[in-house]
Amino acid sequence: MFVKNKKVLICTLCLIIICIGGLIIINNSNKDAEVSVQVENINNIIPKPLSYEEKEGKFIVNKDTTVFIKGNNEAETEEINKIAEYLKEKLKPSTGYNFTINKNENPTQNYIYLSTLEGKEELGNEGYEINITNEGIKVIAYKPEGLFRGIQTIRQLLPPQIEQLSLVSDVEWSIPISRVYDKPEYSYRGIMIDVARHFFTEEEIKKQIDYAAQYKINKVHLHLSDDQGWRIEIKAYPDLTLIGGSTEVDGGPGGYYTQEQFKSIVNYATDRYIEVIPEIDMPGHTNAALASYGFLNPDGKRKPLYTGINVGFSTLMTDSEKTYEFIETVVKEISEISPSKYFHMGGDEADSTKKEDYDYFVGRVSKIVEKYGKTPIGWDPIDTAPEINSSVILQNWKDSNEAARNKNMKMIISIASKAYLDMKYNPSTPYGLTWAGFIPIETAYNWDPTDYAPKDLVLGIEAPLWTETISDVEEMEYMIYPRLLGYAEIGWTPKIERNWTEYKLRLEKQGNRMEYQGINYYKDKEIWKNN
């Protein structure tokens, strides 16, 4: 009887195992189906919106489509008008349509309607709603900035040929009938470009600002000074650019922005609702300044210009009042031409500065920055200085922020092994470095700021591009794209809504758009299999 029961027991167990296995297979199939449906249902938009619902039918944009705009007051309507002009500028090259903009009437048919009149406060500054019917497109936001973000989604709902820079005659400019509800997870979603190691012109930076805006990036941090170059005109100290800006890594011609050029970059970014954050790195990474003015050095003599890529050898004199007079003048002049609420004061890799001197220096400089109405940002390990408190923001590039947590400091998460755009994708990447490891596209996407800091202390995310090995725009774009799309989604879309398997299918669809725009992106064969 025991043997018989044992056989029955074994058979029963086998049946249970088979059933469980079947359930697992069915469950996994369902998951795959869910991912497939989800991808189809969000129509390949990056960053992924909070909600997207699609129905049968479409709206077709044609030469008679009219853009209607309405704000809560005259000033807001004028701001929305600038957004409508931006939309015209983006759609005209490929469609040939010169849309009429109407401020006075209500839309009835064949329209694109941009309005803040019905915008919900819960959407915040950047959220938006889109309702697409047979008659037209309505984009509603609480603030004009939200309308601008919504327009980027409209661009991605149109066929990818919309991004071509010349007239396209064989495409129907249709958008599926759908509804979108969307707002960002984090208020700070940035990219940093190091223009000190290698210089990039005003027009080259504007081009990158324009590309980044379409993925709802809202901060561009410019690293304006380092050992190899000083890139911003300071009228009180002209030799900073005449001497300090005269070279770059490997001895190239260098360059710098006049204050008017910097303001032009800022204004261009502002039109795209992007904040430009200036950085002057100190007390280390300062050889370009030390080579420009002897009074910044203990012996009163100028240092030789430097065109290598080593770090940690330079320092300002932290016990000299001349140093702080110099810094105050620099901060004052830049603050006068920079509308950003932030001023980045560097603070990293000051290996030639004693810890007690470093602590005194960053504490004192943070007060100078605050004197001119700016919120200081500093790299690790600025949070470890006793005088640094929660009025300062830590840009966290190492996995070490205990002091910032204890002081309740807000943080911009830029972990080098996850977010540094100058790290190679793999061993065959022709540019970039490897000291923080390889960062393939999946690694760049598969992490979250809350892996490194408490959610309530995370201001947002920034992806830095250091340019020791990046000397031209093609190389720059190769390292930025497509990883920036993933960073944009990390900053915009809640963690629970993100999935690598589903994301890479959406990313694949972005390839044509980037090609039509002329972006030299890295064509990973795991994603773009036909390249």
Side-chain angles (χ1 to χ4, degrees):
M1 186 171 182
F2 173 77
V3 173
K4 183 177 179 183
N5 287 344
K6 186 176 180 182
K7 288 180 178 178
V8 171
L9 179 63
I10 291 170
C11 290
T12 302
L13 287 171
C14 289
L15 183 60
I16 290 169
I17 290 168
I18 290 168
C19 290
I20 290 172
L23 286 171
I24 289 170
I25 292 169
I26 291 169
N27 189 45
N28 284 340
S29 297
N30 287 341
K31 283 182 180 177
D32 291 341
E34 285 172 13
V35 167
S36 177
V37 169
Q38 195 176 21
V39 170
E40 183 180 351
N41 198 34
I42 59 171
N43 213 39
N44 308 308
I45 302 163
I46 294 177
K48 181 181 178 182
L50 281 180
S51 170
Y52 179 89
E53 299 173 16
E54 186 174 314
K55 296 181 180 179
E56 290 294 324
K58 61 189 175 183
F59 170 71
I60 301 174
V61 178
N62 60 40
K63 65 181 176 61
D64 297 318
T65 301
T66 301
V67 181
F68 291 83
I69 62 171
K70 284 193 183 295
N72 287 292
N73 52 56
E74 187 175 341
E76 195 168 79
T77 299
E78 284 307 309
E79 187 175 348
I80 298 170
N81 186 64
K82 289 180 67 176
I83 296 169
E85 291 287 354
Y86 166 91
L87 179 63
K88 278 181 62 175
E89 174 193 318
K90 288 298 175 188
L91 302 190
K92 187 175 180 179
S94 54
T95 65
Y97 304 153
N98 187 26
F99 300 118
T100 299
I101 298 174
N102 189 316
K103 302 179 186 179
N104 302 313
E105 300 175 25
N106 291 317
T108 55
Q109 61 180 359
N110 198 9
Y111 60 82
I112 299 173
Y113 178 55
L114 309 176
S115 175
T116 52
L117 289 183
E118 305 93 357
K120 300 170 186 172
E121 189 174 358
E122 68 187 43
L123 290 169
N125 289 349
E126 295 187 272
Y128 63 92
E129 295 181 271
I130 299 174
N131 185 20
I132 301 167
T133 65
N134 288 318
E135 288 76 34
I137 301 168
K138 282 188 177 182
V139 186
I140 307 297
Y142 184 61
K143 295 291 184 184
E145 184 174 358
L147 296 176
F148 185 84
R149 305 294 176 223
I151 279 173
Q152 310 316 317
T153 297
I154 294 296
R155 289 171 65 184
Q156 292 190 36
L157 287 170
L158 284 160
Q161 293 91 335
I162 199 69
E163 302 300 340
Q164 286 196 215
L165 303 177
S166 57
L167 189 65
V168 179
S169 58
D170 57 350
V171 173
E172 178 184 83
W173 304 115
S174 62
I175 299 181
I177 291 176
S178 50
R179 295 181 70 94
V180 182
Y181 178 90
D182 202 12
K183 62 181 180 178
E185 182 76 350
Y186 295 105
S187 63
Y188 191 113
R189 305 175 307 281
I191 179 174
M192 187 212 81
I193 301 176
D194 168 16
V195 296
R197 270 54 176 271
H198 281 98
F199 180 68
F200 294 89
T201 67
E202 173 190 350
E203 292 306 315
E204 289 170 337
I205 294 300
K206 285 179 177 178
K207 186 177 181 183
Q208 298 312 311
I209 287 170
D210 197 47
Y211 289 157
Q214 69 184 312
Y215 297 109
K216 304 183 176 74
I217 292 294
N218 68 348
K219 313 289 182 194
V220 170
H221 164 188
L222 294 180
H223 184 77
L224 293 167
S225 71
D226 213 296
D227 291 315
Q228 300 86 350
W230 185 285
R231 308 302 183 198
I232 179 74
E233 177 190 22
I234 304 298
K235 294 185 184 297
Y237 298 109
D239 283 354
L240 285 172
T241 46
L242 293 176
I243 296 174
S246 66
T247 191
E248 58 188 13
V249 167
D250 293 333
Y256 65 92
Y257 310 116
T258 66
Q259 292 194 4
E260 288 304 312
Q261 287 174 324
F262 181 79
K263 285 191 286 187
S264 178
I265 291 171
V266 166
N267 291 337
Y268 186 87
T270 300
D271 287 344
R272 286 149 182 78
Y273 294 89
I274 287 177
E275 183 176 0
V276 175
I277 299 166
E279 178 190 355
I280 299 298
D281 206 348
M282 47 188 162
H285 291 279
T286 46
N287 193 78
L290 304 179
S292 301
Y293 286 97
F295 71 83
L296 294 174
N297 299 293
D299 61 3
K301 297 178 180 179
R302 292 170 172 166
K303 296 285 188 185
L305 288 166
Y306 181 71
T307 60
I309 62 171
N310 291 333
V311 300
F313 63 87
S314 61
T315 184
L316 292 169
M317 294 186 292
T318 60
D319 59 352
S320 170
E321 287 305 309
K322 290 182 179 179
T323 295
Y324 298 104
E325 289 172 14
F326 168 79
I327 291 168
E328 180 152 358
T329 300
V330 169
V331 171
K332 180 177 184 291
E333 283 201 27
I334 294 176
S335 296
E336 287 172 348
I337 61 172
S338 172
S340 172
K341 66 183 288 188
Y342 303 111
F343 187 103
H344 204 304
M345 51 184 280
D348 61 322
E349 298 175 325
D351 300 339
S352 296
T353 314
K354 294 179 181 177
K355 181 65 168 75
E356 60 268 30
D357 295 338
Y358 174 88
D359 289 349
Y360 173 77
F361 177 89
V362 296
R364 185 164 173 182
V365 172
S366 71
K367 300 300 184 290
I368 293 173
V369 170
E370 289 171 343
K371 175 181 175 181
Y372 291 96
K374 305 298 184 182
T375 298
I377 304 175
W379 299 101
D380 304 335
I382 199 171
D383 57 321
T384 63
E387 293 300 313
I388 294 296
N389 55 36
S390 60
S391 67
V392 179
I393 294 166
L394 172 67
Q395 185 156 7
N396 188 198
W397 64 282
K398 297 179 179 179
D399 189 9
S400 56
N401 55 33
E402 184 179 355
R405 294 182 190 223
N406 292 338
K407 295 176 181 181
N408 210 38
M409 292 171 64
K410 292 289 188 180
M411 292 180 241
I412 300 162
I413 307 301
S414 300
I415 303 300
S417 61
K418 300 291 185 180
Y420 270 28
L421 288 162
D422 54 305
M423 292 299 112
K424 291 175 178 281
Y425 293 95
N426 53 49
S428 63
T429 306
Y431 330 110
L433 301 169
T434 60
W435 61 263
F438 298 112
I439 305 183
I441 297 169
E442 182 174 359
T443 299
Y445 182 81
N446 260 338
W447 65 282
D448 190 76
T450 58
D451 298 339
Y452 301 96
K455 179 75 178 286
D456 64 326
L457 294 182
V458 176
L459 186 63
I461 174 178
E462 185 175 286
L465 178 72
W466 302 101
T467 61
E468 289 96 331
T469 66
I470 312 300
S471 60
D472 62 36
V473 169
E474 283 206 351
E475 295 171 1
M476 175 191 286
E477 291 175 1
Y478 186 90
M479 301 305 283
I480 294 175
Y481 292 96
R483 288 183 291 196
L484 186 65
L485 281 67
Y487 297 134
E489 182 150 305
I490 291 171
W492 184 276
T493 308
K495 180 180 180 180
I496 195 170
E497 298 295 330
R498 301 197 310 268
N499 174 291
W500 164 249
T501 302
E502 175 258 350
Y503 169 75
K504 71 178 180 179
L505 297 176
R506 283 185 287 125
L507 180 60
E508 189 270 334
K509 300 298 183 183
Q510 293 290 323
N512 286 339
R513 292 182 184 274
M514 289 188 284
E515 285 189 28
Y516 289 141
Q517 291 175 77
I519 297 174
N520 183 43
Y521 69 101
Y522 165 57
K523 300 173 182 64
D524 189 329
K525 294 188 182 300
E526 292 297 310
I527 296 167
W528 292 281
K529 295 180 172 59
N530 295 325
N531 285 299

